């Protein structure tokens, strides 16, 4: 229940009088205010600054330090005030939380100090209200990142127990880890540069030979260049093989872009080695040499900027595609127009539409080589329109690409926001849980038998709910003192139940009720009893709640009969219980249907063992005991075994 | 082209001023807060003591700083107590029952008067109040439709997950039981007198009504 509206609880309870004429059943007794005292002011002395508030204000949140009896530990007898040796400035926001129901995070406050204060006073940070929650989360994230960065800088020594392979991979990926890695890094960089320069210089004309022909250096100093090439390819091959060996996932490494570049860089050499003798394919061989230029891309391992550029282009693919598409459209249109315009003129260079493409491209990009010019007037007019529109068409997609680049530059910040969204979802989930917590709190207190002795009339059906002996002690341990507010709220909900003659159950029981009504088709042991009770459905979980004292006697011996023989629902539970205490307490209530044990209903299989003859004659004879022997789950479902049987009678 | 741009900007300039008027109106409305009559007067008119009135007012003002509760806020507050189901329909009827002056808002005086009747009034007062709650159209009679509405609203508060599962006609059965008990002359409607007499005959109900005496 939102404690902010705690003040309206008396109103809600008074309004419950409106249900009375409609109700068919008597109402439960209201919880009384045992120590009924006037609302008093209490003084909270926080490091000398005195705050005063009503006691009721603090009681609104009974699961915090100030709202519970924990504050009595800080009570100072002489001065009759509660003394806390904490920061008075932070305490302001904490006290405001009690007053207004909203927790705010002051901006000037240090995030870790604030967190400590919240932890001390038992307030969870998730309830910070929306106005301050963004700020809080941002500051918290920055703080943790900064702390983590500091940690990472400190750990220079490599973690122990790294295999040789892992060390190698780490050296390859992060050259700063060791000197060997750094040396390797620079050596490969040097050789990439050498290889690229070699390829370039190979084609430079290198002085004349006696037969008056300029030949490129590559053909003049063939052996030298061949040796250089071989050396570089050796180095690259060794590097590639070493990386392949060290990679944690070889398949993934082979698929990565960098390794493909490596392969493409060294392949031409080997293919060239194989093919030197065959003159026919020398043309293809020459083409292959072009691929040697890909070695320059190996530099991207060395340069972060190149990688970002590559990534930008990759992610701007759609914008680039749009640019290309619009350009193509314009080119085709103008080329067609120019072709038909220039068709008439003699000796026109515009021999076909594809030939006009070249003119259009050169004009639209404002290059204007001048190798093709229109001669007719119509051609000139359309030519000028073409060049004007070229400027526009090219200028439009470019800002898109530029903005994409800046988007990628901020991409790491967006990744953080995505993380924050997950956190937001987690927060909403937590708030939903706490809201659901108020509803489950009622169901929990019901099952714990806290509603005993709250019955107004003494009908036999509503006798004291005694749990079977085995779990009585656990029950008593579990009964924590609920605040008066909570008990009054639960009383209100209980009245509603009595008014409508239906009970609140949680989702699982509800679904189970569905399942078991479906199983009604099996020959029921005591059809008459169900009509006796006047309860719809023959769900035995309903009956298990009414545990009668008389049943305890027959409990043990009918137990063995029924458990094995009756048709049962086996519910295979998943793993054990979450921290939610209400659920764990349900474990120990034997009269509960065992499915409540399951956090996530695993496998639900109906296992029909047998339909026995009714062993229930003895208890049927008992006039005031309602239903039949209830085959409930065994008294203490051992946490290990995950199969819980619920029988459907 | 310049003319086009000019007219477009003129359009947009008009819009903010209109929006500003609306905002001013809203500001005015929220700033009007209501202050209740003095403590002594309220003490005289209701059956509460001064301290009780103080506590009540503090709670009231905390939730509604402007001093009046409108139906939205009321529904929201009431829904906090019934997280399982949907309390808005019943809250709507309750709101109408408290809003004796029928102007869509509850002031502190209305609130306290209603509570005084419910908590400190005579049995007859309580029953009359309940009758007015049920009598949605204030015609002095409770007919089947009104009762079905109320019962349905109460069942809505239970939510979906109940045991036994709610079937469609459960409210109707409830209404039938109610009419059997209350409608003495079987004319299909329940008058105030029939209601009061029938309730006073029902011991359970009398006992239940006394439950809430010490709510404050």
């Amino acid at each position: 229940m939102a404690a902010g509206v705690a003040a309206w609880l008396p109103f809600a309870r008074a309004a419950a009088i409106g249900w009375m004429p409609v109700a068919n059943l008597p109402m439960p007794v209201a919880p009384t205010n045992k120590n009924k005292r006037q609302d008093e002011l209490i003084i909270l002395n926080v490091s000398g600054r005195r705050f005063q508030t009503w006691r009721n204000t603090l009681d609104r949140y009974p699961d915090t330090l100030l709202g519970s009896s924990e504050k009595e530990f800080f009570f100072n007898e002489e001065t009759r005030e509660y003394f806390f040796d904490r920061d008075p400035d932070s305490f302001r926001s904490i006290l405001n939380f009690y007053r207004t129901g909203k927790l705010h995070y002051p901006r000037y406050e240090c995030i870790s100090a604030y967190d400590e204060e919240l932890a001390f006073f038992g307030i969870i940070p998730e309830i910070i209200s929306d106005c301050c929650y963004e700020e809080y989360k941002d500051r918290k994230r920055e703080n943790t990142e900064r702390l983590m960065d500091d940690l990472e800088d400190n750990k220079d020594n490599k973690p122990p127990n790294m295999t040789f392979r892992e060390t190698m991979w780490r050296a390859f990926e992060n050259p700063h880890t060791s000197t060997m890695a750094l040396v390797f890094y620079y050596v490969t960089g040097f050789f990439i540069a050498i290889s690229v320069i070699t390829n370039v210089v190979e084609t430079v004309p290198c002085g004349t030979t006696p037969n008056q022909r300029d030949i490129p250096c590559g053909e003049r100093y063939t052996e030298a260049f061949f040796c250089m090439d071989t050396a570089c390819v050796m180095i690259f091959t060794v590097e590639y093989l070493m990386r392949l060996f060290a990679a944690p996932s070889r398949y993934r490494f082979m698929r990565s872009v960098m390794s493909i570049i490596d392969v493409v860089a060294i392949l031409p050499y080997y293919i060239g080695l194989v093919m030197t003798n065959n003159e026919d394919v020398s043309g293809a061989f020459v083409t292959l040499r072009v691929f040697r230029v890909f070695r320059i891309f190996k530099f991207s391992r060395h340069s972060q900027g190149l990688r970002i550029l590559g990534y930008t282009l990759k992610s701007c693919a759609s914008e680039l595609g749009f640019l290309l598409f619009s350009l193509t459209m314009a080119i085709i249109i103008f080329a067609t127009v120019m072709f038909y315009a220039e068709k008439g003129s003699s000796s026109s260079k515009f021999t076909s539409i594809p030939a006009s493409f070249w003119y259009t491209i050169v004009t639209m990009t404002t290059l204007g080589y001048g190798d093709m010019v229109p001669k007719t007037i119509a051609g000139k007019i359309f030519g000028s329109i073409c060049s004007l529109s070229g400027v526009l068409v090219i200028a439009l997609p470019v800002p898109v690409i530029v903005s994409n680049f800046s988007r990628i530059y901020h991409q790491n910040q967006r990744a953080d926001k995505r993380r924050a969204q997950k956190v937001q979802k987690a927060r909403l989930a937590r708030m939903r849980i706490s809201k659901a917590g108020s509803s489950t709190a009622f169901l929990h207190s019901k099952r714990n038998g806290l509603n005993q002795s709250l019955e107004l009339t003494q009908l036999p059906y509503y006798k004291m709910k005694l749990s079977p002996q085995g779990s009585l002690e656990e029950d008593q341990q579990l009964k924590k003192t609920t605040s008066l507010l909570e008990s009054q709220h639960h009383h209100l909900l209980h009245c509603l139940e009595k008014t409508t003659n239906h009970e609140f159950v949680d989702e699982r029981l509800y679904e189970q009720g569905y399942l078991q009504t479906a199983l009604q088709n099996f020959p029921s042991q005591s059809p008459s009893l169900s009509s006796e009770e006047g309860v719809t459905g023959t769900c035995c979980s309903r009956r298990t709640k009414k545990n009668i004292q008389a049943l305890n006697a027959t409990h043990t011996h009918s137990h063995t009969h029924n458990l094995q023989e009756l048709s049962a629902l086996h519910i295979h539970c998943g793993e054990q219980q979450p921290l939610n205490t209400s659920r764990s307490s349900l474990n120990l209530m034997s009269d509960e249907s065992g499915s409540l044990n399951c956090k996530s209903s695993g496998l639900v299989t109906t296992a029909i063992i047998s339909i026995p003859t009714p062993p229930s004659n003895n208890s049927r004879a008992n006039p005031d005991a309602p239903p039949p022997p209830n085959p409930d789950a065994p008294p203490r479902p051992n946490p290990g075994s995950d199969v819980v049987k619920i029988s459907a009678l | 082209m310049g003319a086009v741009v000019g007219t477009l900007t003129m359009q947009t300039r008009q819009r903010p001023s209109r929006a500003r008027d609306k905002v001013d109106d809203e500001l005015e409305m929220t700033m009007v807060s209501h202050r209740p009559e003095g403590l002594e007067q309220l003490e005289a008119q209701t059956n509460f003591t001064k301290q009780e009135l103080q506590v009540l007012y503090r709670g009231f003002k905390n939730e509604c700083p402007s001093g009046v509760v409108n139906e939205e806020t009321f529904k929201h507050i009431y829904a906090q107590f019934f997280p399982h189901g949907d309390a808005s329909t019943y809250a709507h009827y309750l709101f109408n029952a408290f809003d004796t002056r029928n102007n869509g808002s509850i002031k502190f005086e209305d609130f306290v008067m209603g509570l005084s009747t419910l908590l400190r009034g005579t049995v007859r007062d309580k029953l009359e109040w309940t009758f007015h709650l049920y009598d949605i159209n204030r015609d002095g009679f409770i007919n089947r439709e009104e009762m079905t509405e109320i019962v349905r609203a109460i069942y809505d508060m239970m939510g979906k997950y109940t045991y036994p599962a709610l079937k469609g006609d459960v409210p109707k059965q409830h209404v039938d039981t109610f009419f059997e008990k209350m409608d003495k002359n079987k004319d299909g409607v329940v008058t105030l007198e029939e209601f009061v007499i029938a309730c006073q005959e029902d011991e359970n109900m009398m006992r239940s009504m006394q439950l809430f005496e010490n709510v404050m």
Side-chain angles (χ1 to χ4, degrees), chain B residues 7 12 21 37 40 52 61 64 81 91 104 111-112 115 117-118 125 132 139 154 157 167-169 177 182 195:
Chain B
T7 46
T12 49
D21 287 337
E37 321 162 4
E40 286 83 11
E52 289 168 338
K61 183 101 177 156
C64 321
F81 295 108
F111 179 67
V112 154
L115 272 189
T117 316
L118 283 175
D125 286 340
H132 286 303
D139 62 353
I154 294 180
M157 284 199 284
K167 310 278 188 346
D169 54 354
T177 328
M182 304 278 165
F195 184 75

Side-chain angles (χ1 to χ4, degrees), chain A residues 542-566:
Chain A
R542 182 78 180 91
R543 291 186 216 125
T544 58
K545 285 199 180 112
K546 305 196 181 90
N547 235 343
I548 306 305
Q549 276 177 337
L551 199 56
N552 282 339
T554 60
H555 196 71
T556 40
H557 94 263
S558 55
H559 199 66
T560 43
H561 285 299
N562 306 330
L563 219 43
Q564 304 307 319
E565 295 173 324
L566 292 173

Side-chain angles (χ1 to χ4, degrees), chain A residues 154-416:
Chain A
N154 287 343
K155 63 170 170 98
D156 258 333
N157 44 346
K158 61 171 189 190
N161 305 335
M162 268 183 37
T163 67
F164 176 62
R165 191 171 151 188
E166 282 172 3
T167 330
M168 263 178 73
W169 181 251
R170 198 157 156 268
F172 280 135
E173 292 300 301
N174 200 352
H176 302 286
T177 45
S178 70
T179 356
M180 267 308 291
L182 214 52
V183 164
F184 184 76
Y185 178 76
Y186 282 124
V187 161
T188 42
F190 176 70
F191 272 95
I192 295 173
I194 292 279
S195 161
V196 169
I197 292 173
T198 313
N199 287 344
V200 168
V201 170
E202 245 182 6
T203 59
V204 172
C206 224
T208 57
T209 56
N211 53 4
Q212 301 289 325
R213 197 165 65 96
D214 270 342
I215 53 170
C217 282
E219 290 180 17
R220 190 146 165 207
Y221 302 106
T222 321
E223 285 98 27
F225 280 105
F226 183 72
C227 288
M228 282 279 237
D229 209 17
T230 312
C232 295
V233 170
M234 280 297 115
I235 302 270
F236 296 153
T237 315
V238 165
E239 181 207 350
Y240 180 71
L241 289 174
M242 275 168 52
R243 277 183 203 264
L244 191 60
F245 167 68
S249 156
R250 297 218 173 101
Y251 177 61
R252 210 158 59 96
F253 172 73
M254 283 179 58
R255 279 187 347 184
S256 74
V257 176
M258 288 313 300
S259 88
I260 291 178
I261 291 178
D262 287 341
V263 167
V264 168
I266 60 181
L267 261 188
Y269 176 80
Y270 290 110
I271 296 181
L273 276 185
V274 169
M275 289 199 326
T276 10
N277 308 324
N278 205 340
E279 287 301 325
D280 292 337
V281 293
S282 64
F285 171 62
V286 167
T287 325
L288 269 181
R289 292 179 134 218
V290 171
F291 282 98
R292 290 186 304 172
V293 80
F294 274 81
R295 288 178 195 165
I296 206 169
F297 285 114
K298 286 167 69 79
F299 267 128
S300 60
R301 270 219 187 88
H302 297 251
S303 157
Q304 171 89 343
L306 263 183
R307 278 205 292 270
I308 289 183
L309 186 61
Y311 188 63
T312 310
L313 288 176
K314 190 170 71 168
S315 63
C316 294
S318 64
E319 280 78 20
L320 283 174
F322 166 65
L323 172 61
L324 229 56
F325 178 68
S326 58
L327 265 182
T328 312
M329 263 175 45
I331 287 170
I332 292 177
I333 291 173
F334 279 109
T336 314
V337 166
M338 290 306 294
F339 172 70
Y340 283 111
E342 286 288 304
K343 202 158 180 213
S345 100
S346 57
S347 73
S348 149
K349 293 243 176 65
F350 295 81
T351 49
S352 66
I353 295 187
S356 316
F357 281 169
W358 172 244
Y359 168 76
T360 317
I361 291 176
V362 166
T363 313
M364 280 182 87
T365 52
T366 70
L367 276 176
Y369 288 135
D371 53 349
M372 281 164 85
V373 285
K375 297 210 171 62
T376 61
I377 295 184
K380 286 186 178 162
I381 291 174
F382 286 120
S384 39
I385 297 176
C386 175
S387 63
L388 284 174
S389 66
V391 171
L392 282 177
V393 168
I394 298 216
L396 280 177
V398 167
V400 175
I401 296 175
V402 166
S403 74
N404 265 346
F405 183 77
S406 74
R407 178 173 59 93
I408 287 161
Y409 176 72
H410 295 290
Q411 191 156 26
N412 57 341
Q413 290 183 331
R414 243 190 313 129
D416 280 348

Side-chain angles (χ1 to χ4, degrees), chain B residues 141-193:
Chain B
F141 300 108
I142 306 178
N143 53 14
R144 264 181 194 266
E145 288 77 28
E146 288 173 341
M147 206 54 218
T148 316
E149 284 292 321
I150 297 272
V151 170
R152 205 166 300 227
I154 294 180
Y155 273 90
D156 281 344
M157 284 199 284
M158 289 292 294
K160 186 169 153 214
Y161 300 119
T162 60
Y163 179 83
L166 282 170
K167 310 278 188 346
D169 54 354
V170 170
K172 186 172 175 308
Q173 289 170 6
H174 222 122
V175 171
D176 291 336
T177 328
F178 177 81
F179 264 84
E180 267 185 49
K181 220 180 355 169
M182 304 278 165
D183 190 8
K184 296 287 190 247
N185 58 358
K186 306 288 172 212
D187 58 354
V189 292
V190 178
T191 63
L192 178 59
E193 286 313 316

Side-chain angles (χ1 to χ4, degrees), chain A residues 2 4 7-8 11 13 17-19 21-22 28 36 54 439 489 499-500 502-505 507 510 536 542, chain B residues 58-59 62-63 74 80-81 84 90 98 118 134 147 155 158 160-164 166 174 208 211-212 215-216:
Chain A
W8 286 68
F11 158 74
R13 299 181 68 218
I17 288 185
W19 305 335
V22 179
K36 192 177 176 76
W54 299 107
S439 48
H489 186 210
T499 309
T500 54
H502 286 67
E503 290 188 11
F504 289 112
V505 294
E507 204 169 322
Y510 174 72
T536 55
R542 182 78 180 91
Chain B
R58 281 207 294 269
N62 200 28
E63 202 55 34
F74 188 86
Q80 308 272 4
F81 295 108
H84 304 267
Y90 190 70
F98 268 92
L118 283 175
Y134 294 161
M147 206 54 218
Y155 273 90
M158 289 292 294
K160 186 169 153 214
Y161 300 119
T162 60
Y163 179 83
L166 282 170
H174 222 122
S208 309
L211 259 188
F212 296 96
V215 158
M216 269 298 301

